[in-house]
Amino acid sequence: MLIKGYDDGPLVAGESLLTRRGFWSNYLLEMCADGSSAAHPVPEWFGDDGADTDAMSEVLFDPERWPVFRVPAEDGSGAVVIFRNMVGEYGIDYLLTRPGGAHAQQIASWEGDLSGTGLTWHELVRLADTPPPGAEGVEDTAARLLLVLPLLTDPDVPEEAPARLGSALTSAGVPRNAAPHTVEHLLTRLTRGSRHDPTWGSPLSGSQETGRRRCSSMDRAWRRSGRPARPSAWRGSAGC
């Protein structure tokens, strides 16, 4: 598989993994560790159990196969999520394509926290809600929103954001009684420390004045000690 603008590893289409048990706990569990609660996130917050999460981690963090998830939009923009399974440098890379652009450009990485340029809530929703008919990639709007959610760098999400995120989580298999708790932890972590100036342009527009940035200050030892067997939050990390 080829992604123009990204030549770092053995890329494979990952969209078929989205419906498998253990995917969302591997992808989002660490982002629930907001440091504000004594309770450590567990896979059950996403409707999974430890066995589901461990089994999926063997697939997601395989150095020989780097799963790719494509989120194209109708206007020609889009996001690409790549599990960067480089031994000693594990992380998740986020790329954007812009209308009329021939190549994807990496704008951020998740390595215990987000480092790079992110998007506002409204930009995430616009990406999620505009899948082009027949295009390769993820079509389900709930899964699309959850995939780009780690790019959220908007400290003031609208009132409807928790309900929309909760609906996306339940569509992805999170139990209804667990969804509000999971939403609260995700939004607390992702909006904490975000900075947004309304004069900054959107990275989706191709503006050179992009700037919704959040630089990681997290301990990244989890990604330098070999392939992670499970999300670090579940292994006992307290977040920050």
Side-chain angles (χ1 to χ4, degrees), residues 1 8-12 62-67:
M1 181 178 188
D8 290 352
L11 307 181
V12 296
D62 181 355
E64 302 300 321
R65 297 172 62 86
W66 297 14

Side-chain angles (χ1 to χ4, degrees), residues 56-149:
M56 179 54 66
S57 72
E58 296 292 330
V59 177
L60 289 174
F61 301 112
D62 181 355
E64 302 300 321
R65 297 172 62 86
W66 297 14
V68 175
F69 303 88
R70 295 159 291 180
V71 186
E74 270 186 335
D75 65 358
S77 64
V80 182
V81 180
I82 300 175
F83 277 72
R84 179 184 5 102
N85 294 335
M86 186 181 300
V87 176
E89 292 291 335
Y90 287 91
I92 300 176
D93 291 335
Y94 293 88
L95 287 65
L96 286 185
T97 56
R98 298 184 174 92
H103 294 77
Q105 178 182 1
Q106 183 173 336
I107 63 161
S109 296
W110 184 277
E111 299 165 349
D113 207 346
L114 187 72
S115 178
T117 303
L119 301 173
T120 67
W121 173 261
H122 291 295
E123 288 171 331
L124 297 182
V125 169
R126 180 164 59 87
L127 259 180
D129 287 349
T130 57
E136 292 185 337
V138 182
E139 296 183 353
D140 179 73
T141 56
R144 288 165 64 90
L145 179 60
L146 296 178
L147 281 170
V148 296
L149 181 66

Side-chain angles (χ1 to χ4, degrees), residues 179-193:
H181 180 78
T182 305
V183 166
E184 179 182 359
H185 282 274
L186 283 169
L187 289 180
T188 298
R189 171 69 180 276
L190 292 171
T191 59
R192 183 186 60 205

Side-chain angles (χ1 to χ4, degrees), residues 24-25 28-34 41-48 146 149 162 165-166 168-170 173-190:
W24 293 112
S25 54
L28 293 175
L29 186 64
E30 182 176 38
M31 299 168 200
C32 291
D34 57 34
V42 293
E44 284 75 12
W45 289 12
F46 291 89
D48 299 325
L146 296 178
L149 181 66
L165 181 54
L169 287 168
T170 55
V174 175
R176 290 189 179 277
N177 61 345
H181 180 78
T182 305
V183 166
E184 179 182 359
H185 282 274
L186 283 169
L187 289 180
T188 298
R189 171 69 180 276
L190 292 171

